[in-house]
């Protein structure tokens, strides 16, 4: 039963489908409408997840080529990898913290001004897992671990969407949808940087391409071409022999690079299609729950929810964030000479894509083109240095060759770990 509950709560499609169904039931919709809304919500999230899987698959080969081609070894931040390791030890604690943390999210939304219900199930699982690991490393256990962990999780599930909402209103033009992704500090930081350096009237979406480059207004084509250039660079750096022997199964290494680049663009296209389908169903359905259980509550949805509002900023943000990650890595390499044992954080392409793309949209909302570039670059630096400070509080997980990648994990983990030390644990 515990495994069943964990599996249901950790699958975003099922979780949000249940939320949609409950909302439609509360509104006393007809049977066919309830079935349609529930299935289409689940379908949209599955499409979104399928697109994310396509992107992650294409980026994994990019990361391998980058690491081999430029000869840099270090820690690769990757949420899925670190959680897979942690669940072997902290599986039960994670499930309990996750289940009760979601209940606490509803209670906090009901009793406080933080009227947000966090619906990104996999990030809820990841945060619960990190909290369980840190509390265990700090000496807590049993009921106290579950209670403290649930309260912390429920609070951050309501708090982070609240600080993102002012910029979300600028992005979407409405106040109907919240933002639920645990790298919110990076996005808010990007929006703040964008407001300092840019002009929101000069949006990335108003870029005036020369007539001969007007085809780049097609975001899928633009993403394909830019990613093809990046893939060719890392493929050439890795060498034909390595790519064809280790990655492509004998396919010519440049053909392999081109296919992976276009596959990446295809994944982004699928993600956007899934987001549009989910938004069309979840917002009306959520109204039923919000008006009955938590008046004026907003559904806090995953980061791709903002991609359709500024497709150009998605690409600009990814490239700028990745550049920030490379610069941050170089700084760590220089510091390693004076601080032996300092972890070298490699620029993980997956977090820099999802977080960087979102940071680009947030930066664009406050600072236009310059805001998108500078904001996402600053966010890329942030998610490079925060994991360095997080690793010492993760206990045995701190010795793994990977760590949590997104900004909120770093901030919450550092604060929680040091709070335990202050209390003598």
């Amino acid at each position: 039963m515990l495994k069943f509950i964990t599996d249901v709560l950790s699958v975003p499609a099922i979780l949000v489908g249940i939320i949609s169904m409950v909302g439609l039931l509360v509104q006393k919709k007809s049977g066919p409408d309830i079935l349609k809304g529930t299935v289409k919500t689940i379908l949209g999230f599955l499409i979104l997840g399928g697109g994310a899987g396509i992107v992650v698959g294409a980026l994994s080969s990019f990361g391998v080529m980058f690491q081999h081609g430029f000869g840099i070894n270090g820690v690769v931040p990757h949420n899925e990898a670190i959680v897979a390791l942690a669940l072997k030890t902290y599986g039960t604690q994670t499930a309990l913290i996750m289940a009760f943390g979601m209940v606490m999210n509803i209670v906090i939304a009901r009793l406080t001004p933080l009227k947000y219900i966090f619906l990104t199930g996999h990030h809820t699982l990841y945060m619960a897992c990190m909290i369980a690991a840190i509390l265990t490393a700090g000496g807590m256990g049993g009921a106290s671990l579950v209670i403290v962990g649930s309260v912390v999780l429920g609070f951050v599930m309501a708090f982070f969407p609240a600080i993102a909402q002012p910029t979300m209103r600028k992005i979407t033009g409405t106040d109907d949808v919240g933002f639920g992704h645990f790298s919110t500090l990076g996005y808010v930081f990007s929006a703040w940087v964008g407001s300092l350096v840019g002009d929101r009237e000069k949006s990335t979406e108003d870029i005036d391409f020369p007539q001969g480059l007007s085809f780049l207004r097609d975001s899928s084509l633009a993403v394909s071409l830019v990613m093809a250039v990046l893939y060719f660079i890392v493929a050439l750096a890795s060498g034909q022999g390595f790519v064809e022997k280790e990655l492509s199964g004998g396919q010519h290494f440049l053909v392999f690079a081109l296919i992976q680049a276009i596959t990446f663009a295809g994944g982004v296209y699928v993600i956007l299609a899934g987001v549009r389908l989910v938004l069309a169903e979840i917002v009306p359905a959520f109204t039923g729950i919000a008006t009955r259980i938590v008046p004026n509550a907003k559904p806090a949805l995953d980061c791709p929810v903002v991609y359709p509002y500024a497709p150009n900023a998605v690409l600009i943000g990814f490239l700028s964030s990745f550049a920030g990650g490379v610069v941050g890595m170089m700084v760590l390499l220089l510091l390693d000479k004076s601080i032996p044992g300092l972890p070298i954080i490699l620029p993980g392409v997956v977090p820099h894509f999802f977080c960087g793309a979102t940071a680009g949209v947030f930066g664009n909302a406050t600072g236009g083109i310059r805001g998108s570039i500078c904001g996402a670059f600053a966010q890329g630096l942030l998610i490079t240095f925060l994991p360095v400070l997080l690793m010492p509080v993760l206990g045995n997980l701190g010795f793994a060759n990977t760590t949590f990648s997104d900004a909120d994990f770093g901030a919450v983990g550092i604060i929680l770990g040091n709070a335990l030390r202050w209390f003598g644990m």
Side-chain angles (χ1 to χ4, degrees):
M1 179 60 70
L2 184 62
K3 184 180 187 306
F4 173 78
I5 294 172
T6 303
D7 287 348
V8 168
L9 296 180
S10 63
V11 177
I14 297 178
L15 174 63
V16 179
I18 292 172
I19 296 292
S20 178
M21 180 180 68
V22 172
L24 293 169
L25 285 169
V26 169
Q27 295 179 77
K28 297 180 180 179
K29 296 290 186 179
S30 66
D33 285 343
I34 294 171
L35 180 63
K36 185 193 79 166
T38 303
V39 172
K40 289 185 74 173
T41 301
I42 295 174
L43 177 63
F45 257 81
L46 290 175
I47 291 173
L48 194 160
I54 294 171
V55 167
V56 169
L59 290 178
S60 63
S61 59
F62 183 95
V64 172
M65 288 188 288
F66 182 91
Q67 194 163 341
H68 178 81
F70 295 100
I72 299 173
N73 294 310
V75 176
V76 181
H78 197 287
N79 290 331
E80 287 74 14
I82 190 70
V83 168
L85 292 172
L87 286 178
K88 295 178 181 178
T89 306
Y90 310 110
T92 302
Q93 298 95 318
T94 297
L96 292 171
I97 290 174
M98 181 177 180
F100 290 108
M102 294 177 70
V103 173
M104 283 302 304
N105 179 201
I106 296 173
V107 171
I108 290 171
R110 181 70 177 85
L111 300 178
T112 75
L114 303 175
K115 304 294 184 183
Y116 301 91
I117 306 296
F118 195 96
L119 296 180
T120 307
H122 63 294
H123 257 222
T124 306
L125 172 66
Y126 300 164
M127 183 63 80
C129 184
M130 186 194 73
I131 291 171
I134 292 174
L135 292 179
T136 302
M140 294 189 71
S144 61
L145 182 146
V146 175
I147 293 171
V148 172
S150 301
V151 171
V152 172
L153 179 60
F155 174 73
V156 300
M157 290 171 73
F159 172 74
F160 285 118
I163 65 173
Q165 197 61 18
T167 310
M168 278 294 288
R169 284 192 286 267
K170 295 177 182 177
I171 294 171
T172 65
T174 71
D175 200 30
D176 297 332
V177 178
F179 185 85
H181 189 264
F182 283 133
S183 197
T184 304
L185 287 177
Y187 309 143
V188 172
F189 184 47
S190 174
W192 177 71
V193 171
S195 69
L196 295 179
V197 304
D199 178 1
R200 64 174 301 193
E201 300 302 322
K202 297 179 179 179
S203 171
T204 56
E205 308 316 296
D206 297 330
I207 294 176
D208 188 17
F209 292 105
Q211 190 62 33
L213 297 178
S214 59
F215 64 91
L216 291 176
R217 288 189 177 277
D218 185 327
S219 60
S220 296
L221 183 57
V223 171
S224 297
L225 294 176
V226 172
M227 291 306 297
V229 172
L230 295 178
Y231 271 89
F232 284 150
I233 290 173
V234 295
L236 290 169
S238 297
Q240 182 173 358
F242 174 80
V243 175
E244 294 181 3
K245 182 179 178 180
E246 301 294 334
L247 297 174
S248 71
Q251 186 181 54
H252 191 278
F253 77 120
L254 293 181
V255 174
F256 174 77
L258 178 62
I259 293 299
Q260 293 303 303
I262 298 176
T263 299
F264 174 92
V268 174
Y269 182 88
V270 173
I271 286 173
L272 296 179
V275 168
R276 294 187 185 101
L277 187 57
V278 170
L279 284 180
E281 300 297 332
I282 189 64
V283 174
F286 191 82
T287 304
I289 298 175
T291 55
R292 298 294 181 90
I293 303 176
V294 187
N296 302 317
K298 298 176 181 63
L301 302 176
D302 202 355
C303 63
V305 72
V306 301
Y307 293 177
Y309 295 97
N312 290 344
V314 169
L315 181 60
I316 291 171
F318 163 53
L319 297 176
S320 300
S321 178
F322 190 79
V326 172
V327 170
M329 177 189 66
M330 292 178 177
V331 172
L332 291 174
L333 286 170
L334 292 174
L335 292 175
D336 186 51
K337 296 178 181 179
S338 56
I339 309 176
L342 185 72
I344 305 302
I345 305 297
L346 302 183
V349 186
V350 172
H352 280 293
F353 170 68
F354 286 105
C355 298
T358 310
V361 177
F362 271 68
N364 177 63
T366 58
I369 299 171
R370 286 200 306 271
S372 182
I373 295 171
C374 297
F377 181 87
Q379 185 272 161
L381 289 174
L382 187 68
I383 64 172
T384 300
F385 292 113
L386 277 178
V388 175
L389 302 175
L390 172 65
M391 290 177 72
V393 304
L394 287 176
N396 291 333
L397 285 180
F399 299 101
N401 196 37
T402 185
T403 188
F404 292 94
S405 59
D406 301 352
D408 297 349
F409 292 104
V412 172
I414 292 165
I415 293 171
L416 185 59
N418 283 287
L420 292 172
R421 286 177 180 164
W422 294 332
F423 286 105
M425 293 185 174

